[in-house]
Amino acid sequence: MHLTLEFGGGLELLCKSVKFHNVNVDLPKGADKLSMRDLLAWVRTNLIKERPEMFMKGESVRPGVLVLVNDCDWELSGQLDTTLEEKDVVVFISTLHGG
Amino acid sequence: MEADSKPKKSGARLCCVCNQNRAALKRPKTLEQICRECFYAVFEEEIHQVILENQLFKPGERIAIGASGGKDSTVLAYVLSELNRRHNYGLDLFLLSVDEGITGYRDDSLETVKRNELQYGLPLKIVSYKDLYGWTMDEIVKMIGLKNNCTFCGVFRRQALDRGAALLKVDKVATGHNADDIAETVLLNILRGDIARLSRCTSIITGEDGPIPRCKPFKYTYEKEIVMYAYFKKLDYFSTECIYSPNAYRGFAREFIKDLERIRPRAILDIIKSGEDFRISTTTKMPEQGTCERCGYISSQKWCKACVLLEGLNRGLPKLGIGRNQGLNSDGKKDRKRDSRTPSIESKQCGSLEF
């Protein structure tokens, strides 16, 4: 599944300072859809090059990291249970820095 | 109930305010699902109400906005500018920035403030630690190591803001401290048993009896909403953690608050309310406020904290003023040999604030 991922608020530093990533994520074995839960695991393995604890805590994002799917707060679509579709845009923004 | 077809993720949810547009976020404050336009309106209106109800400003006042180039101060500058125009507050707004001399952090964020100056049309003043105190944070950290950095920086920054405000001849300073910050501070003060600070830290206006009062228009504004506002409005801000902050105690309070927010978002405002309603037992001894003997700044001790810290730096005693019993007169047993590598910089006085 082709997706566009954006990292902001300092998270890009964990992905070698690249903010935008066009990725192709394989669906988990035997599944017919991709959830945010699956995507997060994929991101941690494939995109996060350092300090994964800055991005994730357990199976979700670290508290203080906002997630938007197609410019909508993932809290509206079920957080980890949000299902993704082809060409979706997912944005991760960290709020954990000075203001 | 929903039809049996796969529900469209966000199309099904309408804004609960206008019932027309698709909801874009869930407000932590109210758990409402709201669209972008309604969010902008309610975000701005709530801040406007906070300003009115707490009488933060008077017409004709000159206000310096403490601007670091970060998310809070950038959004504050944007929103205050907008509200000033929309509601005719009659304020003269300025951007005031402090350069602590942290390479790779502050020099980058100052570029952002310079852009904000152009984008928002607000005149900018930058004051630096180097000019004010003779030391950059980088130099300080070289001397004291990686602990207690925030103690030095926070103390120096407070005075630096006042100095800058005096140079700009403003009536007040507005800072971007948000609800999350204040809840963290309440917790920090409880964890440390700092009753004096606890009684002051939730005030939306502070320092009214001092040279320059300060206010926090974002006191009830959630950090998440500030970031979402900036994101949707594409506001330009700088977002990297200060390189010296990972060791700060505040980090623990922040982590806790963030975990709490996940479970019950309202907790942040409730902690602030607890802090506001805290009452100190009448038998508790509280420090009295006076002035520093050396520079005249507000202080509850003979010397203000900045003077104590500077004295420590200049005498090669990095622990002076750190911890509970480390005052000026407790260094009888300390090693008085000055480190020959330490530059003996004539310390500048913290400075008097001429008014």
Side-chain angles (χ1 to χ4, degrees):
Chain A
M1 183 177 290
H2 294 89
L3 303 167
T4 305
L5 308 181
E6 182 186 333
F7 293 86
L11 287 175
E12 61 272 25
L13 296 175
L14 307 178
C15 319
K16 299 202 174 215
S17 298
V18 178
K19 279 196 81 164
F20 295 93
H21 299 254
N22 288 311
V23 300
N24 195 358
V25 182
D26 293 323
L27 268 61
K29 277 201 175 51
D32 58 347
K33 35 182 161 228
L34 187 71
S35 70
M36 274 303 303
R37 185 180 283 107
D38 303 324
L39 178 65
L40 284 182
W42 187 92
V43 170
R44 189 198 348 228
T45 311
N46 295 285
L47 288 183
I48 304 294
K49 298 301 174 195
E50 56 179 279
R51 295 178 294 157
E53 69 280 5
M54 295 280 131
F55 178 63
M56 286 182 68
K57 188 166 167 173
E59 54 167 14
S60 187
V61 290
R62 184 181 174 204
V65 174
L66 305 180
V67 184
L68 292 143
V69 179
N70 300 326
D71 269 1
C72 283
D73 187 355
W74 76 335
E75 304 236 358
L76 296 174
S77 49
Q79 291 195 36
L80 289 170
D81 296 322
T82 308
T83 41
L84 298 164
E85 288 169 6
E86 187 71 28
K87 304 246 188 64
D88 274 353
V89 178
V90 183
V91 181
F92 301 99
I93 312 177
S94 173
T95 65
L96 302 163
H97 50 81
Chain B
M1 283 309 291
E2 251 140 31
D4 55 357
S5 57
K6 180 170 70 136
K8 281 168 73 99
K9 297 183 290 291
S10 24
R13 282 170 194 80
L14 290 183
C15 170
C16 65
V17 175
C18 68
N19 272 308
Q20 285 179 347
N21 301 325
R22 162 181 98 141
L25 78 133
K26 190 172 185 181
R27 295 195 73 196
K29 198 180 240 186
T30 56
L31 303 181
E32 281 169 315
Q33 306 185 13
I34 194 168
C35 72
R36 265 195 226 198
E37 297 303 323
C38 291
F39 172 55
Y40 297 155
V42 73
F43 183 84
E44 292 158 8
E45 182 58 25
E46 278 176 7
I47 292 163
H48 172 58
Q49 287 306 321
V50 167
I51 290 172
L52 289 186
E53 282 160 24
N54 295 280
Q55 295 165 52
L56 297 187
F57 306 121
K58 291 202 248 311
E61 279 184 329
R62 293 164 64 92
I63 308 291
I65 301 171
S68 62
K71 57 191 184 346
D72 304 310
S73 48
T74 295
V75 175
L76 180 62
Y78 179 89
V79 173
L80 262 190
S81 256
E82 177 54 36
L83 293 178
N84 191 31
R85 241 191 316 269
R86 185 185 300 170
H87 297 287
N88 297 313
Y89 292 164
L91 305 173
D92 247 337
L93 297 174
F94 300 86
L95 292 174
L96 174 57
S97 250
V98 177
D99 180 4
E100 306 95 336
I102 302 176
T103 324
Y105 174 66
R106 192 50 80 207
D107 37 6
D108 289 340
S109 76
L110 283 178
E111 290 309 307
T112 309
V113 196
K114 288 178 191 156
R115 282 201 299 277
N116 290 159
E117 178 184 25
L118 299 170
Q119 289 155 349
Y120 307 148
L122 304 174
L124 165 66
K125 172 117 199 91
I126 302 178
V127 287
S128 78
Y129 281 8
K130 191 71 186 176
D131 289 339
L132 291 175
Y133 309 114
W135 290 78
T136 62
M137 267 317 287
D138 286 345
E139 288 163 356
I140 291 173
V141 175
K142 268 209 202 75
M143 155 88 74
I144 67 175
L146 289 169
K147 265 190 111 177
N148 301 314
N149 305 146
C150 299
T151 300
F152 281 80
C153 197
V155 169
F156 287 162
R157 184 176 316 106
R158 240 164 231 106
Q159 279 214 15
L161 269 179
D162 281 345
R163 298 290 298 282
L167 289 166
L168 278 173
K169 296 195 185 8
V170 294
D171 302 294
K172 278 191 188 106
V173 172
T175 54
H177 291 90
N178 59 48
D180 300 51
D181 294 328
I182 296 182
E184 282 164 26
T185 305
V186 170
L187 272 188
L188 262 184
N189 288 329
I190 291 180
L191 290 170
R192 287 171 161 163
D194 194 331
I195 304 298
R197 284 201 171 83
L198 185 59
S199 60
R200 294 193 302 261
C201 69
T202 47
S203 302
I204 196 171
I205 302 178
T206 49
E208 278 160 300
D209 45 355
I212 311 254
R214 304 174 173 210
C215 64
K216 302 178 169 81
F218 282 170
K219 178 183 170 189
Y220 302 103
T221 312
Y222 275 66
E223 187 167 65
K224 170 180 172 179
E225 298 197 1
I226 291 173
V227 174
M228 294 296 256
Y229 187 87
Y231 175 74
F232 287 140
K233 286 235 172 196
K234 308 225 177 311
L235 300 182
D236 180 11
Y237 69 86
F238 180 74
S239 56
T240 304
E241 258 196 301
C242 174
I243 50 181
Y244 300 127
S245 71
N247 303 313
Y249 194 43
R250 179 175 284 266
F252 297 103
R254 173 168 305 152
E255 178 104 14
F256 182 60
I257 295 276
K258 286 291 145 188
D259 284 335
L260 261 182
E261 187 189 13
R262 202 161 248 203
I263 304 170
R264 196 169 83 82
R266 190 84 201 165
I268 290 178
L269 289 182
D270 290 342
I271 290 175
I272 297 177
K273 184 96 182 53
S274 297
E276 285 169 346
D277 290 348
F278 229 75
R279 288 295 171 265
I280 315 292
S281 158
T282 46
T283 53
T284 305
K285 187 163 191 323
M286 298 284 275
E288 270 175 41
Q289 194 177 287
T291 48
C292 173
E293 282 179 8
R294 206 171 89 143
C295 73
Y297 196 67
I298 283 179
S299 173
S300 61
Q301 314 294 323
K302 271 174 80 177
W303 278 23
C304 74
K305 194 68 160 184
C307 284
V308 172
L309 293 177
L310 266 181
E311 182 75 0
L313 286 174
N314 292 321
R315 284 163 59 185
L317 298 170
K319 290 289 189 198
L320 201 63
I322 304 291
R324 274 187 205 271
N325 297 313
Q326 310 265 356
L328 286 170
N329 300 315
S330 65
D331 58 358
K333 298 202 180 100
K334 284 205 182 65
D335 182 5
R336 283 174 175 281
K337 270 201 312 269
R338 182 172 292 174
D339 188 328
S340 55
R341 287 166 297 158
T342 313
S344 53
I345 296 173
E346 255 289 297
S347 87
K348 276 195 153 85
Q349 286 249 321
C350 299
S352 54
L353 304 169
E354 287 108 1
F355 294 100

